[in-house]
Amino acid sequence: MKEQIVYLGVDVAKAYLDAAIGKEKRRLPNEGTGHRELIKWIKQMEGPVRVICEPSGGYERRFIQALIGGQIRVSLVQANRVRQFARAAGILAKTDTIDARVLCAFGEAMRPQTLTASKLEQELLRELESQRRHLSRLLVMEQNRGARLSDSLVRSLNRALIKQIQKQIERIDLLIKEHIEHSQELSAKAHKLTAISGVGARTAALLLAQMPELGQLNRREVAALVGVAPFNRDSGKSRGKRTIYGGRYVRHGLYMAALVAARHNPILRTFYRRLRAAGKPAKLALTATMRKLLIVLNSALKTNPITT
């Protein structure tokens, strides 16, 4: 007979970890000492114990890294699924301790998958990518602001800040490159993506960070996820203009890649020119090229890829 897995629910907040298992509950600081104390407590328990928690705006990342480093299995589940489970069980009250107990019950009922080292690698890449995006926005803001400054001293300070931001972006680019190279899975995926004409290392890193599902979806799902699938706007006899909207933050990078591919990728260049020859506006043709490029990228990460 298989050993019965015991779930330890942990509600993660900025300052504290509220842990519950059976009738026991503990509150520990969400920092190194608290992480070590919780791991020590888990290792004193009999039988296999699996920690289950929810995303908490990034406050759970160091905690999860500490658990995996301590050889503790951990599952990260969506908060809305747990809340729906609580409502279905008639649990309407919500406190940190109640949430931890609900997580225990959810784990025992649903048996969610555990996090792997590759998942952590992808999460770190996403964090680096998000920081780079933040710095890129700051850089544009300061460059635009600098163009309106008149005082020489303030302009000098502005230029110094711009140089500092640029140095940080260069540093993060290097960290992203090293992180991908040191991960066998990410490196293999990046190699497949950059093998497609029009896709550079920057676009590959963006896709790997923001779209871990790439290669696991069908063409309609991946287009909708990125926000390049046209949606109908019809009512009665009226037929509205099809538009795209929503999606994750990859469209900007994908747009630039499609722009290059429409000029230099033999297949996508022919596709783009055929649409333009048929009278399609340039923006529409380029959006269609984006969608086609995305489908090719999604296929490249599947077992039997399509290459261009």
Side-chain angles (χ1 to χ4, degrees), residues 182-286:
H182 293 163
S183 167
Q184 187 175 357
E185 182 179 344
L186 292 175
S187 179
K189 287 183 177 181
H191 180 72
K192 290 179 180 179
L193 294 176
T194 54
I196 297 169
S197 179
V199 180
R202 179 79 196 98
T203 302
L206 176 65
L207 290 169
L208 291 174
Q210 302 297 332
M211 288 196 65
E213 306 92 343
L214 201 64
Q216 303 170 23
L217 306 174
N218 61 43
R219 56 194 300 154
R220 292 183 180 85
E221 290 171 337
V222 74
L225 189 63
V226 175
V228 292
F231 289 95
N232 298 348
R233 298 178 63 88
D234 301 337
S235 179
K237 293 183 180 180
S238 174
R239 295 294 178 268
K241 185 178 179 181
R242 273 52 176 165
T243 56
I244 63 171
Y245 59 87
R248 295 189 186 168
Y249 184 86
V250 296
R251 262 206 330 233
H252 176 74
L254 197 62
Y255 178 87
M256 299 306 295
L259 197 61
V260 174
R263 296 175 181 174
H264 302 290
N265 186 301
I267 294 175
L268 295 178
R269 181 178 62 220
T270 303
F271 175 76
Y272 175 80
R273 289 179 178 177
R274 186 168 67 246
L275 291 177
R276 293 290 287 134
K280 302 297 182 183
K283 191 172 182 180
L284 188 151
L286 192 57

Side-chain angles (χ1 to χ4, degrees), residues 65 172 270:
Q65 289 172 354
I172 287 182
T270 303

Side-chain angles (χ1 to χ4, degrees), residues 15 27 64 92 103 113 127 132 158 194 196 261 263 277 283 295:
R27 168 167 279 196
I64 289 174
L92 302 181
L103 282 165
Q113 292 183 341
E127 191 169 348
R132 189 193 190 282
N158 174 258
T194 54
I196 297 169
R263 296 175 181 174
K283 191 172 182 180
I295 291 169

Side-chain angles (χ1 to χ4, degrees), residues 164-180:
Q164 184 63 31
I165 295 172
Q166 288 172 334
K167 286 181 180 178
Q168 287 198 27
I169 290 174
E170 290 173 3
R171 174 62 178 156
I172 287 182
D173 282 340
L174 181 60
L175 289 173
I176 289 173
K177 180 176 179 291
E178 290 175 348
H179 183 66
I180 291 175

